[in-house]
Amino acid sequence: MMQRKNELNEVFSMYESDFAICEQTIRNHSKSFYKAFSKLPKQKALSIFAIYSFCREADDSIDVHNDLERLNKLKLELDDFLAGEIPDRYFWRALVPVFETYKMDDQPFYDMLAGQEKDWHFHQPDTQAQLEEYSYFVASSVGLMLLPILSDKAEYIKTQAIQLGQAMQITNILRDIGEDLKNQRVYLPKEVMRTFNVSLDMLKKETINDSFIEMWEYEANRAEQLYEQSTTMLSAIDEDCREALLLAMYFYKGILDAVRQNGYQCYNKRNFVNKKQQFELYQKVKSRLKGSLKE
């Protein structure tokens, strides 16, 4: 077993420069995720950084470059990669030892690309179910990519990984209402907006009233329910990964409280968990894993 571990480390070290770019990518774009997952054993952390870089390229193809051809190129590169022909890009090279080491599932990588294509052909969801289906493609797919790295029982906790991705995506939506409006997108379901008497015009006027807050809290409560349901997978997560996963979960869930603390201002203010709050959440994670918190 020790010999096998050394061989795997050697394989990873062959791609050191590519992993360094992957690590810089996640540091530049998601400080909270980086802070959480950098606590993993190095090989697992590097694997997650490589997967993040693939997802970042997929997301940026549409959200930054507004380029469907760029996304289609990535899909063709994925086909080649899985066929054993490695495209000449840093994240594909970094993914080589990841796929050699872990029992990776191909489908979530394709699902992520399908989710980005949904943003290209954007339609506001009619129902909560449609929102959560969309959230599967753009976020839960990521969780399913990471699962074989975090657990040797991945096949038993896919449902919880999907729930966590949906919770995180709904959190993104509630944080970025104003930013999404500028991009001509409203991810809040039409039926939910109607239920709480919130109109598109109100959103465009950056209205924050009782109706808006009640609608926002309806979605936030749904996200918090999904976060809690997803924590049931912790016992099946590798022991050396539990702290990092729970920390990522708490950091993201904390964004909801940040919006609340800022008076539900999610139109023109970037809400985030500050360093003091991150430290408090870290202590909470440590306590929960020790079993002193019963949640």
Side-chain angles (χ1 to χ4, degrees), residues 11-23 42 46:
V11 172
F12 272 74
S13 67
M14 290 170 57
Y15 298 89
E16 184 176 358
S17 60
D18 297 308
F19 280 118
I21 302 173
C22 294
E23 182 168 3
K42 186 173 183 180
L46 292 176

Side-chain angles (χ1 to χ4, degrees), residues 1 21 49 57 60 77 87 96 101 107 110 136 139 154-155 162 181-182 185 192 195 198 202 209 262 274 282-283 293:
M1 179 63 73
I21 302 173
F49 299 161
E57 172 60 26
D60 285 354
E77 289 179 348
V96 170
T101 304
Q107 191 58 47
Y110 285 106
Y136 163 79
E155 64 271 23
I162 290 170
L181 271 170
K182 291 174 186 174
R185 295 178 189 168
V192 174
T195 297
V198 174
M202 287 170 60
N209 57 14
N262 289 320
N274 62 38
Y282 180 65
Q283 295 303 314
L293 284 182

Side-chain angles (χ1 to χ4, degrees), residues 13 23 30 80 107 151 163 182 188 206 260 285 287:
S13 67
E23 182 168 3
S30 183
D80 288 342
Q107 191 58 47
S151 173
Q163 290 168 333
K182 291 174 186 174
L188 300 163
E206 301 185 356
R260 291 172 176 131
V285 165
S287 296

